[in-house]
Amino acid sequence: MGELPSSGVIGAVQAREMLAHAADLRKVGRRPVGLWPPLLIFGAVTLLDAPISVLGQLAASLWFIAAAPVAFAAVGRCSARHACRRGMEAPGWRLSVLGVASFAAGWLVCLILVAGAHLPVGLVWVIAVGAGYLAWSRFARSVPVALVAVALAAVGVGLALSPAPGWTVPFGVGTVMILGGLVLRYGPEAS
């Protein structure tokens, strides 16, 4: 695309080209990118939780308390890099604070529900994580992320309700998250 005319009339063909170019830029600007880092990063945190879960629920909870802020920082860094590459403004600190606060609130609610209702290990957090990623997929207008959310919820709920040991829930969910993140990173919607 050339220089915009400083004055005068532009022709119909040039106007159509400019409108088409603006439409292309709008599509690129609105297209969700960088949906894979949270899946890979939190998938790795969840997968690493599997051997820790063998030690008990307290050890697993302490692991997430320690690992979640680091994971959020890594996701924030990846999001900022993606935004910068596309010429967009990087997400502000408010988004990071909202993510950490919602994670903490969800984690606390999960602990209270598990303690009060005596539900199987991992059932509540798997449903919360699946619902969170499903909501995120709607916000990002991404069918592949929705499919990953449904898959991780199905695997997690299935393992939580099965007679399998509790460590299999974070192992299965973490594996699905990592595989889903890799598909988003290198698959058909890769950015």
Side-chain angles (χ1 to χ4, degrees):
M1 181 113 219
E3 293 282 322
L4 291 176
S6 59
S7 65
V9 180
I10 58 173
V13 173
Q14 190 178 10
R16 267 194 297 272
E17 288 174 356
M18 289 173 61
L19 288 172
H21 185 66
D24 290 342
L25 290 174
R26 191 175 320 117
K27 284 179 189 175
V28 169
R30 288 184 179 170
R31 184 168 184 255
V33 297
L35 298 175
W36 58 270
L39 286 167
L40 285 179
I41 292 167
F42 280 100
V45 169
T46 305
L47 195 58
L48 289 171
D49 179 51
I52 295 169
S53 291
V54 173
L55 302 174
Q57 192 60 38
L58 178 62
S61 294
L62 291 174
W63 163 248
F64 273 104
I65 289 171
V70 174
F72 273 108
V75 168
R77 183 169 168 86
C78 287
S79 295
R81 282 186 28 212
H82 278 281
C84 185
R85 274 193 217 137
R86 296 182 69 206
M88 305 290 185
E89 185 177 318
W93 61 270
R94 291 182 183 123
L95 186 60
S96 298
V97 169
L98 177 64
V100 171
S102 65
F103 178 84
W107 180 74
L108 187 60
V109 167
C110 287
L111 281 179
I112 292 168
L113 285 175
V114 167
H118 304 293
L119 296 171
V121 173
L123 180 64
V124 176
W125 74 261
V126 164
I127 293 170
V129 168
Y133 275 108
L134 196 57
W136 182 42
S137 73
R138 174 69 177 122
F139 175 72
R141 299 178 309 272
S142 175
V143 173
V145 175
L147 294 174
V148 171
V150 170
L152 75 86
V155 167
V157 168
L159 288 170
L161 295 177
S162 77
W167 64 267
T168 61
V169 176
F171 181 81
V173 170
T175 302
V176 170
M177 291 171 80
I178 289 172
L179 291 174
L182 289 172
V183 167
L184 289 174
R185 174 66 176 107
Y186 298 107
E189 285 199 355
S191 53

